[in-house]
């Protein structure tokens, strides 16, 4: 027995074990199940661009299998068949199909689009139709013509923008904006100072206003205490007396009325005043006619 396990046999067994481990390791790295009994299904595509063995298979966003192999069917229809291994608990309703999808990073996967038939199922080893999903990348491809049409306009816009930025007027505007910003900052500081002053002085002003209101209320109370009716009665009485006196002056009764209305009396008074004036003039001119004065008591002849 010891002679059987010679050095050459041990090397051969080690080599075989390494090959087996390498094979199953590669299968594992490809995503293929090693020890589970997955069920094989077939998906017929017209185009499998990007799809390769070991690509994942999803159903409703959950990974249920992996693409085991891709073969070309040389039948006149020219279909390309992908062999997929699905979990043994996965059941495909009849009428389901598959789509090749890719994300923005270029990762390729197969999405199973399941039908609503809860009774009839696709048998193991049957073939279901496949296609290509019109996802984000295909929509981007559809947008390329529009993008190509926009590029010249963008180039024109950038050229106009460069001309605008090189215009000296824009620099002057920016310079003025800087000055306006400085003025705004100064105004903001002044407003803060004014606000602080108001916060400091307004309470005193409010107290003074309260005093003015109190004085106003006192004045109103004093006015309300005045007997307006009695005051009006006195004013009316005064006006009546003035009216009575005016009437007497306008009538021929009384001295003042006669003086104001009798023209003869006015003329006599005027003549008397004229005579008195002549007498004073003559007195000043000839005082000896009217005044006799002597130191020794002599009389003038």
């Amino acid at each position: 027995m010891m002679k059987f396990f010679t050095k050459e046999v041990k090397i051969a067994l080690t080599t075989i074990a390494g090959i087996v481990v390498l094979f199953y390791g590669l299968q594992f790295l490809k995503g293929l199940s090693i020890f589970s009994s997955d069920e094989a299904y077939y998906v017929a595509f017209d185009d499998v661009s990007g799809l390769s063995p070991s690509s994942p298979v999803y159903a409703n966003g959950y990974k249920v299998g992996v693409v085991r192999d891709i073969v070309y069917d040389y039948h006149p229809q020219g279909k390309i068949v992908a062999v997929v291994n699905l979990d043994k608990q996965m059941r495909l309703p009849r009428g389901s199909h598959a789509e090749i999808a890719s994300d923005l990073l270029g990762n390729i996967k197969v999405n199973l689009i399941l039908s609503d038939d809860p009774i009839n199922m696709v048998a193991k080893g049957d073939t279901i139709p496949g296609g290509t999903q019109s996802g984000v990348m295909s929509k981007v491809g559809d947008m390329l013509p529009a993008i190509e049409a926009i590029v010249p306009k963008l180039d024109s816009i950038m050229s106009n923008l460069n001309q605008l930025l090189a215009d000296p007027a824009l620099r002057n505007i920016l310079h003025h904006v800087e000055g306006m910003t400085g003025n705004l900052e100064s105004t903001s500081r002044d407003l803060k100072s004014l606000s602080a002053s108001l916060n400091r002085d307004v309470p005193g002003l409010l107290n003074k206003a309260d005093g003015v209101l109190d004085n106003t209320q006192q004045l109103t109370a004093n006015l309300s205490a005045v007997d307006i009716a009695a005051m009006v009665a006195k004013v009316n009485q005064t006006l009546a007396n003035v009216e009575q006196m005016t009437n007497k002056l306008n009538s021929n009764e009384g001295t003042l009325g006669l003086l104001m209305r009798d023209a003869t009396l006015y003329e006599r008074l005027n003549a008397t005043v004229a005579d008195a004036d002549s007498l004073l003039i003559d007195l000043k001119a000839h005082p000896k006619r009217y005044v006799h004065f002597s130191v020794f008591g002599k009389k003038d002849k």
Side-chain angles (χ1 to χ4, degrees):
M1 185 67 178
M2 296 296 295
K3 292 181 179 181
F4 178 75
F5 290 101
T6 60
K7 184 177 180 180
E8 291 78 4
V9 173
K10 292 179 181 181
I11 293 173
L13 293 175
T14 302
T15 303
I16 294 172
I19 294 173
V20 172
V21 171
L22 178 61
F23 173 78
Y24 284 106
L26 292 174
Q27 295 294 102
F28 177 77
L29 292 176
K30 291 180 180 180
L32 301 175
S33 299
I34 300 175
F35 301 105
S36 62
S37 57
D38 292 342
E39 297 180 350
Y41 293 86
Y42 299 93
V43 183
F45 294 99
D46 292 328
D47 187 356
V48 291
S49 298
L51 187 64
S52 63
S54 75
S55 296
V57 180
Y58 290 87
N60 298 327
Y62 183 79
K63 184 178 179 181
V64 294
V66 67
V67 177
R68 188 179 69 186
D69 194 10
I70 299 175
V71 295
Y72 187 83
D73 185 4
Y74 289 95
H75 191 271
Q77 292 182 353
K79 292 289 185 181
I80 303 173
V81 179
V83 182
V84 296
N85 283 356
L86 301 181
D87 189 274
K88 61 181 179 181
Q89 297 180 356
M90 182 66 191
R91 296 291 182 268
L92 292 179
R94 191 169 295 278
S96 301
H97 64 281
E99 291 181 347
I100 298 175
S102 62
D103 55 20
L104 293 176
L105 298 178
N107 299 319
I108 306 298
K109 63 181 179 180
V110 175
N111 287 329
L112 294 176
I113 310 302
L114 305 178
S115 68
D116 297 331
D117 191 348
I119 300 175
N120 301 315
M121 300 295 167
V122 177
K124 177 183 177 181
D126 284 354
T127 302
I128 62 174
T132 303
Q133 184 185 48
S134 57
V136 176
M137 298 306 295
S138 61
K139 293 180 180 179
V140 171
D142 295 337
M143 292 173 61
L144 286 177
I147 295 175
E148 291 177 353
I150 292 174
V151 168
K153 297 181 180 179
L154 290 176
D155 186 38
S156 176
I157 292 173
M158 292 302 296
S159 176
N160 294 332
L161 183 60
N162 290 331
Q163 292 179 1
L164 178 63
L165 292 176
D167 192 347
L170 181 61
R171 290 195 294 270
N172 294 331
I173 292 173
L174 294 177
H175 179 70
H176 293 160
V177 168
E178 291 179 357
M180 292 173 61
T181 303
N183 294 333
L184 288 175
E185 291 178 355
S186 177
T187 303
S188 177
R189 288 193 298 269
D190 294 340
L191 288 176
K192 289 181 180 179
S193 177
L194 177 61
S195 177
S197 177
L198 289 176
N199 291 333
R200 183 180 62 255
D201 298 337
V202 164
L205 293 175
L206 291 178
N207 293 331
K208 292 181 180 179
D210 292 338
V212 173
L213 290 176
D214 293 338
N215 294 333
T216 303
Q217 292 176 355
Q218 183 65 31
L219 177 61
T220 304
N222 294 335
L223 289 175
S224 63
V226 174
D227 190 354
I228 302 298
M231 183 180 293
V232 171
K234 291 180 180 180
V235 171
N236 290 333
Q237 182 64 34
T238 303
L239 292 176
N241 294 334
V242 172
E243 183 179 4
Q244 184 178 3
M245 184 178 67
T246 303
N247 292 331
K248 287 183 179 181
L249 290 174
N250 292 329
S251 67
N252 294 328
E253 298 178 0
T255 303
L256 290 176
L258 291 174
L259 288 174
M260 294 176 63
R261 302 179 64 84
D262 191 350
T264 303
L265 180 59
Y266 169 76
E267 292 175 356
R268 290 177 181 178
L269 288 174
N270 194 17
T272 300
V273 171
D275 293 339
D277 185 54
S278 298
L279 179 61
L280 289 174
I281 293 171
D282 186 64
L283 180 61
K284 290 180 179 181
H286 306 284
K288 293 181 178 182
R289 292 181 182 177
Y290 304 94
V291 179
H292 299 279
F293 179 75
S294 175
V295 174
F296 302 102
K298 278 188 170 184
K299 297 182 179 179
D300 291 338
K301 290 182 181 181

